[in-house]
Structures are given as structure tokens and as C-alpha cells.
């Protein structure tokens, strides 16, 4: 079964607004990563947050991680039409061997309306 | 520095035929991962390879699927006797060697397989 579950499944907002997506997971992790996928394209790595970190920023992106609640959030500020895409969280499970296997959630489909 | 290359980008096969998907990792990367994505779903891990070694194939179906990453040349994901349920997007990712737990995986554009 999928480790990560994103919430909401779909999100539609106006350009300029902030978009928040959440991800929950079930087992221990080494790190959590967020990826973006434009329709029919490959995945673009956005940001990686380690299990001992609580918050990380990259440009207009802000990611938080709460290991006690097994959840993460991705905030995109001042959204643009080009941010329209599906966003996936992926966890790198704990344990030496499992660290290489990313487990993806179902994704959040974000639509930015001009 | 070219990214992860996959070919073909689109592949159409009839039931019972073989599908071969190729992946060339980023320059300097020695670790390759294959994932499968069904429509409207997230990616699911299939197999993790290093040069000439399969490290983790826990996501590979037991039959008809195989993967290799030879010393020279691209990684190959091979699906024998394809069925309609194999229709999906297959993504390859690569990462550099180094600290095992903190490597970012860089994804290719994917191969979209359609089985008629």
C-alpha cells in the first residue's frame, strides 16, 4: 500500500494566492521529498527535508515536517500559472536497505487560475 | 550535463509482444531506479540497480519483468508477453554514489507504454 497520502487530491486557486498541500505517511522515514509533475512529463525534484529537520525553504516553497504526526506540508507562496501541476510527496523509508526506495503518495493536482 | 535519458518516449505493443525500455542515467550516476505510474496515481517502486547488480527488486512482478544495468550501456527494463494491464508510464531515476540515505533521485521523462 502507498506510504504517503496527499491531501487534498485536487486544489484550484487564483493566481497570487498561496497553495498548501499536505502529506501523511505511516512508517519511520529518513527523509521526505516533494516532486512536481507537469501533465505527461517526468518528475522534477523540488525539495528534500531530513527526518531531523522541521522546516525548509527554497524560493517560494516552504516545507514542514512533523515526525510525531507523520505529516508534511508544502506551501507555495504567490502562486503562478506555471505552478499548475501535480505535486507528490515521497518518503525514503528508514533502514539501510530501504533508504533507496522512494514511496510516493497519490499526488495533489494543483490548478492555478489566471 | 544531460539529465536522465529514456527511450523510447512512447511505445505501442500488442498483447504477447516484448517491450524494452532503456534508461541512461545522468553522467556520474551509478544508481538506477525504475518506477511505474498508472493513470491518476503516484509512482510505485519496481527495482533498484547499481552497475551489474540488482540491489532491490521487491517491487518487480514475479513473472515477465526483468531489469539489468550492464557495465557498459543503458539500464534496460524488459517486459515479456505484455498484457493490457502493463500499460503505464515507466520512469527511470538515477542518483550518484555516496551517502546511501540522502541521495536525491533525478527522474527521466518516462516511457509511456500502451498495450493494444
Amino acid at each position: 500500500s502507498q506510504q504517503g497520502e496527499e491531501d487534498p487530491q485536487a486544489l484550484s486557486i487564483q493566481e497570487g494566492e498561496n497553495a498548501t498541500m499536505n502529506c501523511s505517511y505511516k512508517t519511520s522515514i529518513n527523509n521526505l521529498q516533494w516532486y512536481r509533475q507537469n501533465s505527461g512529463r517526468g518528475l522534477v525534484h523540488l525539495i528534500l527535508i531530513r527526518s531531523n529537520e522541521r522546516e525548509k525553504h527554497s524560493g517560494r516553497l516552504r516545507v514542514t515536517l512533523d515526525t510525531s504526526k507523520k505529516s508534511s506540508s508544502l506551501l507555495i507562496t504567490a502562486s503562478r500559472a506555471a505552478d499548475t501541476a501535480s505535486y507528490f510527496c515521497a518518503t525514503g523509508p528508514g533502514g539501510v536497505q530501504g533508504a533507496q526506495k522512494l514511496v510516493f503518495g497519490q499526488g495533489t493536482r494543483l490548478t492555478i487560475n489566471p | 550535463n544531460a539529465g536522465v535519458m529514456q527511450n523510447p518516449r512512447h511505445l505501442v505493443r500488442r498483447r504477447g509482444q516484448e517491450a524494452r525500455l532503456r534508461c541512461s542515467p545522468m553522467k556520474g550516476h551509478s544508481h538506477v531506479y525504475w518506477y511505474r505510474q498508472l493513470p491518476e496515481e503516484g509512482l510505485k517502486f519496481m527495482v533498484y540497480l547499481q552497475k551489474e547488480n540488482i540491489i532491490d527488486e521487491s517491487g518487480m512482478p514475479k513473472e515477465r519483468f526483468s531489469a539489468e544495468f550492464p557495465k557498459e550501456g543503458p539500464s534496460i527494463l524488459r517486459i515479456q508477453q505484455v498484457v493490457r494491464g502493463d500499460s503505464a508510464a515507466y520512469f527511470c531515476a538515477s542518483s550518484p554514489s555516496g551517502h546511501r540515505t540522502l541521495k536525491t533521485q533525478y527522474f527521466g521523462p518516462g516511457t509511456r507504454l500502451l498495450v493494444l
Side-chain angles (χ1 to χ4, degrees), chain A residues 1 5 10 13 17 19 24 26 28-30 33 38 45 47 50-51 56 67 70 86 90 111-113:
Chain A
S1 62
E5 294 184 3
I13 61 173
E17 294 181 338
S24 60
K26 296 176 182 173
S28 64
I29 61 172
N30 272 310
Q33 305 180 45
N38 291 86
H45 183 262
I47 197 164
R50 304 178 188 187
S51 58
K56 204 161 183 179
T67 53
K70 292 186 167 59
S86 290
T111 302
I112 309 299
N113 301 304

PDB file of all heavy atoms in Angstrom, chain A residues 1 5 10 13 17 19 24 26 28-30 33 38 45 47 50-51 56 67 70 86 90 111-113:
ATOM      1  N   SER A   1       0.850  -1.184   0.000  1.00  0.00           N
ATOM      2  CA  SER A   1       0.000   0.000   0.000  1.00  0.00           C
ATOM      3  C   SER A   1       0.889   1.237   0.000  1.00  0.00           C
ATOM      4  O   SER A   1       2.053   1.190   0.374  1.00  0.00           O
ATOM      5  CB  SER A   1      -0.891   0.001   1.234  1.00  0.00           C
ATOM      6  OG  SER A   1      -0.118   0.047   2.394  1.00  0.00           O
ATOM      7  N   GLU A   5       0.125   9.807   1.678  1.00  0.00           N
ATOM      8  CA  GLU A   5      -1.183  10.192   1.157  1.00  0.00           C
ATOM      9  C   GLU A   5      -1.254  11.705   1.162  1.00  0.00           C
ATOM     10  O   GLU A   5      -1.065  12.341   2.201  1.00  0.00           O
ATOM     11  CB  GLU A   5      -2.301   9.608   2.027  1.00  0.00           C
ATOM     12  CG  GLU A   5      -2.353   8.088   1.977  1.00  0.00           C
ATOM     13  CD  GLU A   5      -3.515   7.521   2.768  1.00  0.00           C
ATOM     14  OE1 GLU A   5      -4.299   8.314   3.307  1.00  0.00           O
ATOM     15  OE2 GLU A   5      -3.619   6.300   2.852  1.00  0.00           O
ATOM     16  N   ALA A  10      -7.156  17.384  -5.067  1.00  0.00           N
ATOM     17  CA  ALA A  10      -7.157  18.426  -6.090  1.00  0.00           C
ATOM     18  C   ALA A  10      -7.362  19.765  -5.406  1.00  0.00           C
ATOM     19  O   ALA A  10      -8.089  19.867  -4.417  1.00  0.00           O
ATOM     20  CB  ALA A  10      -8.255  18.171  -7.116  1.00  0.00           C
ATOM     21  N   ILE A  13      -6.887  27.317  -7.175  1.00  0.00           N
ATOM     22  CA  ILE A  13      -6.821  28.636  -6.543  1.00  0.00           C
ATOM     23  C   ILE A  13      -6.538  29.696  -7.599  1.00  0.00           C
ATOM     24  O   ILE A  13      -6.179  29.389  -8.743  1.00  0.00           O
ATOM     25  CB  ILE A  13      -5.732  28.686  -5.451  1.00  0.00           C
ATOM     26  CG1 ILE A  13      -4.350  28.410  -6.052  1.00  0.00           C
ATOM     27  CG2 ILE A  13      -6.044  27.714  -4.328  1.00  0.00           C
ATOM     28  CD1 ILE A  13      -3.211  28.599  -5.075  1.00  0.00           C
ATOM     29  N   GLU A  17      -2.479  33.680  -4.978  1.00  0.00           N
ATOM     30  CA  GLU A  17      -2.804  33.091  -3.676  1.00  0.00           C
ATOM     31  C   GLU A  17      -1.744  32.058  -3.288  1.00  0.00           C
ATOM     32  O   GLU A  17      -0.944  31.620  -4.105  1.00  0.00           O
ATOM     33  CB  GLU A  17      -4.185  32.446  -3.713  1.00  0.00           C
ATOM     34  CG  GLU A  17      -5.326  33.425  -3.912  1.00  0.00           C
ATOM     35  CD  GLU A  17      -6.669  32.738  -3.927  1.00  0.00           C
ATOM     36  OE1 GLU A  17      -6.726  31.528  -4.193  1.00  0.00           O
ATOM     37  OE2 GLU A  17      -7.687  33.414  -3.670  1.00  0.00           O
ATOM     38  N   ALA A  19      -0.783  28.256  -1.919  1.00  0.00           N
ATOM     39  CA  ALA A  19      -1.304  26.891  -2.020  1.00  0.00           C
ATOM     40  C   ALA A  19      -0.625  26.024  -0.975  1.00  0.00           C
ATOM     41  O   ALA A  19       0.607  26.031  -0.865  1.00  0.00           O
ATOM     42  CB  ALA A  19      -1.033  26.321  -3.408  1.00  0.00           C
ATOM     43  N   SER A  24       0.696  12.716   4.497  1.00  0.00           N
ATOM     44  CA  SER A  24       0.846  11.904   5.695  1.00  0.00           C
ATOM     45  C   SER A  24       1.485  10.580   5.320  1.00  0.00           C
ATOM     46  O   SER A  24       1.335  10.108   4.185  1.00  0.00           O
ATOM     47  CB  SER A  24      -0.519  11.664   6.357  1.00  0.00           C
ATOM     48  OG  SER A  24      -1.388  10.986   5.465  1.00  0.00           O
ATOM     49  N   LYS A  26       3.147   6.586   7.066  1.00  0.00           N
ATOM     50  CA  LYS A  26       2.807   5.630   8.118  1.00  0.00           C
ATOM     51  C   LYS A  26       3.997   5.100   8.904  1.00  0.00           C
ATOM     52  O   LYS A  26       3.886   4.829  10.092  1.00  0.00           O
ATOM     53  CB  LYS A  26       2.045   4.449   7.494  1.00  0.00           C
ATOM     54  CG  LYS A  26       0.712   4.852   6.908  1.00  0.00           C
ATOM     55  CD  LYS A  26       0.027   3.691   6.206  1.00  0.00           C
ATOM     56  CE  LYS A  26      -1.283   4.141   5.585  1.00  0.00           C
ATOM     57  NZ  LYS A  26      -1.903   3.078   4.754  1.00  0.00           N
ATOM     58  N   SER A  28       8.442   4.893   9.809  1.00  0.00           N
ATOM     59  CA  SER A  28       9.578   5.789  10.042  1.00  0.00           C
ATOM     60  C   SER A  28      10.277   6.112   8.725  1.00  0.00           C
ATOM     61  O   SER A  28      10.243   5.319   7.781  1.00  0.00           O
ATOM     62  CB  SER A  28      10.565   5.139  11.018  1.00  0.00           C
ATOM     63  OG  SER A  28      11.101   3.965  10.436  1.00  0.00           O
ATOM     64  N   ILE A  29      10.860   7.277   8.675  1.00  0.00           N
ATOM     65  CA  ILE A  29      11.492   7.723   7.432  1.00  0.00           C
ATOM     66  C   ILE A  29      12.870   8.296   7.712  1.00  0.00           C
ATOM     67  O   ILE A  29      13.177   8.710   8.830  1.00  0.00           O
ATOM     68  CB  ILE A  29      10.635   8.792   6.707  1.00  0.00           C
ATOM     69  CG1 ILE A  29      10.468  10.036   7.586  1.00  0.00           C
ATOM     70  CG2 ILE A  29       9.291   8.222   6.301  1.00  0.00           C
ATOM     71  CD1 ILE A  29       9.819  11.209   6.885  1.00  0.00           C
ATOM     72  N   ASN A  30      13.701   8.300   6.670  1.00  0.00           N
ATOM     73  CA  ASN A  30      14.976   9.005   6.720  1.00  0.00           C
ATOM     74  C   ASN A  30      14.827  10.422   6.195  1.00  0.00           C
ATOM     75  O   ASN A  30      15.489  11.331   6.648  1.00  0.00           O
ATOM     76  CB  ASN A  30      16.018   8.279   5.859  1.00  0.00           C
ATOM     77  CG  ASN A  30      16.760   7.218   6.636  1.00  0.00           C
ATOM     78  OD1 ASN A  30      17.258   7.507   7.718  1.00  0.00           O
ATOM     79  ND2 ASN A  30      16.816   6.026   6.112  1.00  0.00           N
ATOM     80  N   GLN A  33      10.611  13.915   0.470  1.00  0.00           N
ATOM     81  CA  GLN A  33      10.894  14.762  -0.684  1.00  0.00           C
ATOM     82  C   GLN A  33       9.590  15.152  -1.367  1.00  0.00           C
ATOM     83  O   GLN A  33       8.615  14.399  -1.337  1.00  0.00           O
ATOM     84  CB  GLN A  33      11.797  14.010  -1.665  1.00  0.00           C
ATOM     85  CG  GLN A  33      13.076  13.488  -1.025  1.00  0.00           C
ATOM     86  CD  GLN A  33      13.976  12.749  -1.978  1.00  0.00           C
ATOM     87  OE1 GLN A  33      14.206  13.202  -3.091  1.00  0.00           O
ATOM     88  NE2 GLN A  33      14.498  11.614  -1.548  1.00  0.00           N
ATOM     89  N   ASN A  38       4.476  17.947 -14.272  1.00  0.00           N
ATOM     90  CA  ASN A  38       3.577  18.571 -15.232  1.00  0.00           C
ATOM     91  C   ASN A  38       2.922  17.475 -16.064  1.00  0.00           C
ATOM     92  O   ASN A  38       3.488  16.406 -16.243  1.00  0.00           O
ATOM     93  CB  ASN A  38       4.345  19.557 -16.111  1.00  0.00           C
ATOM     94  CG  ASN A  38       4.798  20.767 -15.337  1.00  0.00           C
ATOM     95  OD1 ASN A  38       5.851  20.751 -14.710  1.00  0.00           O
ATOM     96  ND2 ASN A  38       3.984  21.795 -15.329  1.00  0.00           N
ATOM     97  N   HIS A  45      12.420  17.304  -9.068  1.00  0.00           N
ATOM     98  CA  HIS A  45      12.660  17.352  -7.627  1.00  0.00           C
ATOM     99  C   HIS A  45      12.571  18.790  -7.132  1.00  0.00           C
ATOM    100  O   HIS A  45      13.198  19.696  -7.699  1.00  0.00           O
ATOM    101  CB  HIS A  45      14.038  16.770  -7.322  1.00  0.00           C
ATOM    102  CG  HIS A  45      14.347  16.715  -5.866  1.00  0.00           C
ATOM    103  ND1 HIS A  45      15.109  17.667  -5.224  1.00  0.00           N
ATOM    104  CD2 HIS A  45      13.978  15.827  -4.913  1.00  0.00           C
ATOM    105  CE1 HIS A  45      15.200  17.353  -3.953  1.00  0.00           C
ATOM    106  NE2 HIS A  45      14.532  16.238  -3.733  1.00  0.00           N
ATOM    107  N   ILE A  47      12.310  19.646  -3.328  1.00  0.00           N
ATOM    108  CA  ILE A  47      12.964  19.887  -2.050  1.00  0.00           C
ATOM    109  C   ILE A  47      13.016  18.588  -1.253  1.00  0.00           C
ATOM    110  O   ILE A  47      12.134  17.754  -1.361  1.00  0.00           O
ATOM    111  CB  ILE A  47      12.204  20.995  -1.273  1.00  0.00           C
ATOM    112  CG1 ILE A  47      13.044  21.574  -0.151  1.00  0.00           C
ATOM    113  CG2 ILE A  47      10.867  20.503  -0.802  1.00  0.00           C
ATOM    114  CD1 ILE A  47      12.493  22.903   0.373  1.00  0.00           C
ATOM    115  N   ARG A  50      15.113  16.359   5.749  1.00  0.00           N
ATOM    116  CA  ARG A  50      15.578  15.201   6.504  1.00  0.00           C
ATOM    117  C   ARG A  50      14.703  14.993   7.733  1.00  0.00           C
ATOM    118  O   ARG A  50      14.043  15.920   8.211  1.00  0.00           O
ATOM    119  CB  ARG A  50      17.031  15.398   6.928  1.00  0.00           C
ATOM    120  CG  ARG A  50      17.967  15.666   5.775  1.00  0.00           C
ATOM    121  CD  ARG A  50      19.367  15.910   6.255  1.00  0.00           C
ATOM    122  NE  ARG A  50      20.233  16.347   5.163  1.00  0.00           N
ATOM    123  CZ  ARG A  50      21.545  16.505   5.265  1.00  0.00           C
ATOM    124  NH1 ARG A  50      22.141  16.262   6.406  1.00  0.00           N
ATOM    125  NH2 ARG A  50      22.257  16.902   4.237  1.00  0.00           N
ATOM    126  N   SER A  51      14.746  13.816   8.268  1.00  0.00           N
ATOM    127  CA  SER A  51      13.869  13.490   9.391  1.00  0.00           C
ATOM    128  C   SER A  51      14.193  14.297  10.647  1.00  0.00           C
ATOM    129  O   SER A  51      13.346  14.440  11.524  1.00  0.00           O
ATOM    130  CB  SER A  51      13.953  11.997   9.703  1.00  0.00           C
ATOM    131  OG  SER A  51      15.284  11.625   9.997  1.00  0.00           O
ATOM    132  N   LYS A  56      11.974  23.804   5.963  1.00  0.00           N
ATOM    133  CA  LYS A  56      12.968  24.120   4.956  1.00  0.00           C
ATOM    134  C   LYS A  56      12.361  25.030   3.908  1.00  0.00           C
ATOM    135  O   LYS A  56      11.171  24.901   3.578  1.00  0.00           O
ATOM    136  CB  LYS A  56      13.472  22.829   4.305  1.00  0.00           C
ATOM    137  CG  LYS A  56      14.844  22.943   3.691  1.00  0.00           C
ATOM    138  CD  LYS A  56      15.437  21.559   3.508  1.00  0.00           C
ATOM    139  CE  LYS A  56      16.849  21.668   2.959  1.00  0.00           C
ATOM    140  NZ  LYS A  56      17.474  20.338   2.778  1.00  0.00           N
ATOM    141  N   THR A  67       7.457  14.805  12.481  1.00  0.00           N
ATOM    142  CA  THR A  67       7.619  13.355  12.565  1.00  0.00           C
ATOM    143  C   THR A  67       6.726  12.743  13.649  1.00  0.00           C
ATOM    144  O   THR A  67       6.385  11.568  13.563  1.00  0.00           O
ATOM    145  CB  THR A  67       9.083  12.980  12.831  1.00  0.00           C
ATOM    146  OG1 THR A  67       9.546  13.701  13.973  1.00  0.00           O
ATOM    147  CG2 THR A  67       9.954  13.320  11.631  1.00  0.00           C
ATOM    148  N   LYS A  70       3.731  12.305  11.787  1.00  0.00           N
ATOM    149  CA  LYS A  70       3.985  11.657  10.495  1.00  0.00           C
ATOM    150  C   LYS A  70       3.299  12.435   9.370  1.00  0.00           C
ATOM    151  O   LYS A  70       2.499  11.882   8.589  1.00  0.00           O
ATOM    152  CB  LYS A  70       3.537  10.198  10.511  1.00  0.00           C
ATOM    153  CG  LYS A  70       4.375   9.305  11.431  1.00  0.00           C
ATOM    154  CD  LYS A  70       3.983   7.846  11.288  1.00  0.00           C
ATOM    155  CE  LYS A  70       4.987   6.927  11.943  1.00  0.00           C
ATOM    156  NZ  LYS A  70       5.169   7.172  13.381  1.00  0.00           N
ATOM    157  N   SER A  86       0.904  18.444 -10.881  1.00  0.00           N
ATOM    158  CA  SER A  86       0.644  17.528  -9.779  1.00  0.00           C
ATOM    159  C   SER A  86       1.862  17.521  -8.870  1.00  0.00           C
ATOM    160  O   SER A  86       3.000  17.549  -9.344  1.00  0.00           O
ATOM    161  CB  SER A  86       0.377  16.113 -10.297  1.00  0.00           C
ATOM    162  OG  SER A  86      -0.859  16.043 -10.972  1.00  0.00           O
ATOM    163  N   ALA A  90       7.244  12.044  -1.405  1.00  0.00           N
ATOM    164  CA  ALA A  90       7.866  10.725  -1.473  1.00  0.00           C
ATOM    165  C   ALA A  90       8.728  10.552  -0.243  1.00  0.00           C
ATOM    166  O   ALA A  90       9.503  11.442   0.109  1.00  0.00           O
ATOM    167  CB  ALA A  90       8.707  10.582  -2.742  1.00  0.00           C
ATOM    168  N   THR A 111      -4.245  23.458  -9.617  1.00  0.00           N
ATOM    169  CA  THR A 111      -4.575  24.299 -10.767  1.00  0.00           C
ATOM    170  C   THR A 111      -4.554  25.750 -10.326  1.00  0.00           C
ATOM    171  O   THR A 111      -5.236  26.112  -9.358  1.00  0.00           O
ATOM    172  CB  THR A 111      -5.961  23.957 -11.338  1.00  0.00           C
ATOM    173  OG1 THR A 111      -5.982  22.573 -11.718  1.00  0.00           O
ATOM    174  CG2 THR A 111      -6.271  24.821 -12.551  1.00  0.00           C
ATOM    175  N   ILE A 112      -3.781  26.546 -11.025  1.00  0.00           N
ATOM    176  CA  ILE A 112      -3.708  27.974 -10.742  1.00  0.00           C
ATOM    177  C   ILE A 112      -4.481  28.705 -11.838  1.00  0.00           C
ATOM    178  O   ILE A 112      -4.122  28.636 -13.019  1.00  0.00           O
ATOM    179  CB  ILE A 112      -2.255  28.487 -10.704  1.00  0.00           C
ATOM    180  CG1 ILE A 112      -1.403  27.622  -9.771  1.00  0.00           C
ATOM    181  CG2 ILE A 112      -2.230  29.951 -10.288  1.00  0.00           C
ATOM    182  CD1 ILE A 112      -1.866  27.625  -8.334  1.00  0.00           C
ATOM    183  N   ASN A 113      -5.519  29.386 -11.441  1.00  0.00           N
ATOM    184  CA  ASN A 113      -6.367  30.098 -12.394  1.00  0.00           C
ATOM    185  C   ASN A 113      -5.876  31.534 -12.573  1.00  0.00           C
ATOM    186  O   ASN A 113      -5.654  32.231 -11.591  1.00  0.00           O
ATOM    187  CB  ASN A 113      -7.809  30.092 -11.905  1.00  0.00           C
ATOM    188  CG  ASN A 113      -8.339  28.683 -11.721  1.00  0.00           C
ATOM    189  OD1 ASN A 113      -8.314  27.883 -12.652  1.00  0.00           O
ATOM    190  ND2 ASN A 113      -8.809  28.372 -10.524  1.00  0.00           N
TER     191      ASN A 113
END
